[in-house]
Amino acid sequence: VLYKENVGTGTPTPVTPEMERVKRNQEICSSVLYKENIGKATPTPVTPEMERVKRNQEIISSVLYKENVGKVTPTPITPEMERVKRNQEIISSVWYKENVGQATPTPVTPEMERVKRNQEHISSVAYREGLGKATPSPVTPEMERVKRNQEQISSVLYKEQMAKGTPTPLTPEMERAKRNQENISSVLYSDSFRKQVQGKAAYVLDTPEMRRVRETQKHISTVKYHEDFEKSKGSFTPVVTDPITERVKKNMQDFSDISYRGIQRRVVEMERKRVDQDQENLTG
């Protein structure tokens, strides 16, 4: 108090860059001197009691901080702020991954699977219980248009944020694995079809209406067949005659003549007689 009473009125001076530099140097020097004066300390283990006190201090600090916060003026989120926020998230993610050490993987046991499913069921039930009653609103053409625009914008932004990928060659090993997967999928599908569908007939009632329709379809088919036959009767389809067709036609005619006149049978008989004559000449 006496010190403040003796202080007279001063003249404010602007903060120049030189003053800022001197201030930073003083802070650095103070930090260095502070660290030099610190002696050797004895580390103490962190006990559960210390953990509890630390958590309580954090909770109290958070409550006091919220009580001291006054009214603020909200500012709109500009595209520049969005860009800075995304950059900060990317940097934080990179730093987080760099600080992660080596972990020991643990196998997923059936008990862990059961607990995980139970937790999902409990979360789903608790989520539905917390939902209140809502008022359904009709989907207007304007809402449909806005929805389509949002989907298109999301698609464009997604494609813009995609980086360039490195194409990998399709090796024979990858081809083999792909074929194996297709074969396995086909076998599983066939097994499922065989167990569920194959051998089971779909029973349909034979009602008078269905019998009438079936008889009508038969009559229509018969009438259509006779109509097409009468139209095509007496007509022929012209075919271009080329040397190959002529040769095939001549060969077929020769085969027909041989079969009809019995030439093949006579050739066989003559061959048998010649063999018999040769045998007689050898024995005589």
Side-chain angles (χ1 to χ4, degrees), residues 118-131:
N118 291 340
Q119 288 295 329
E120 291 176 354
H121 294 330
I122 293 170
S123 299
S124 176
V125 172
Y127 172 76
R128 292 179 181 177
E129 289 178 353
L131 289 174

Side-chain angles (χ1 to χ4, degrees), residues 53-69:
V53 172
K54 185 178 178 181
R55 283 198 300 272
N56 291 340
Q57 289 294 330
E58 291 176 354
I59 295 170
I60 294 170
S61 299
S62 176
V63 173
L64 294 175
Y65 173 76
K66 292 180 180 180
E67 289 179 354
N68 295 328
V69 174

Side-chain angles (χ1 to χ4, degrees), residues 43-204:
T44 58
V46 180
T47 60
E49 182 65 18
M50 295 173 67
E51 288 286 342
R52 186 182 63 79
V53 172
K54 185 178 178 181
R55 283 198 300 272
N56 291 340
Q57 289 294 330
E58 291 176 354
I59 295 170
I60 294 170
S61 299
S62 176
V63 173
L64 294 175
Y65 173 76
K66 292 180 180 180
E67 289 179 354
N68 295 328
V69 174
K71 296 181 179 179
V72 297
T73 304
T75 57
I77 299 176
T78 60
E80 182 65 20
M81 295 172 67
E82 288 285 342
R83 185 184 65 79
V84 173
K85 184 178 178 181
R86 284 197 300 272
N87 292 339
Q88 289 295 328
E89 291 175 354
I90 294 170
I91 294 170
S92 300
S93 176
V94 172
W95 286 351
Y96 173 76
K97 293 180 180 179
E98 289 179 354
N99 295 328
V100 174
Q102 295 180 352
T104 304
T106 57
V108 180
T109 60
E111 181 66 17
M112 294 172 68
E113 288 286 342
R114 185 183 64 79
V115 172
K116 184 178 178 182
R117 284 196 300 271
N118 291 340
Q119 288 295 329
E120 291 176 354
H121 294 330
I122 293 170
S123 299
S124 176
V125 172
Y127 172 76
R128 292 179 181 177
E129 289 178 353
L131 289 174
K133 295 182 179 179
T135 304
S137 58
V139 180
T140 60
E142 181 66 18
M143 294 172 68
E144 289 286 342
R145 185 183 64 81
V146 172
K147 184 178 179 181
R148 284 196 300 272
N149 291 340
Q150 288 294 328
E151 292 175 354
Q152 293 171 0
I153 293 170
S154 300
S155 176
V156 171
L157 293 176
Y158 173 75
K159 292 179 180 178
E160 287 180 355
Q161 293 175 2
M162 290 180 65
K164 294 182 179 179
T166 304
T168 57
L170 193 60
T171 60
E173 182 65 19
M174 294 172 67
E175 287 285 345
R176 186 183 64 78
K178 184 178 178 182
R179 284 196 300 272
N180 290 341
Q181 288 295 327
E182 291 175 355
N183 294 335
I184 293 169
S185 299
S186 176
V187 170
L188 293 177
Y189 174 77
S190 300
D191 290 342
S192 177
F193 173 78
R194 192 177 299 107
K195 292 177 181 178
Q196 297 179 6
V197 180
Q198 192 175 10
K200 297 180 180 179
Y203 298 98
V204 180

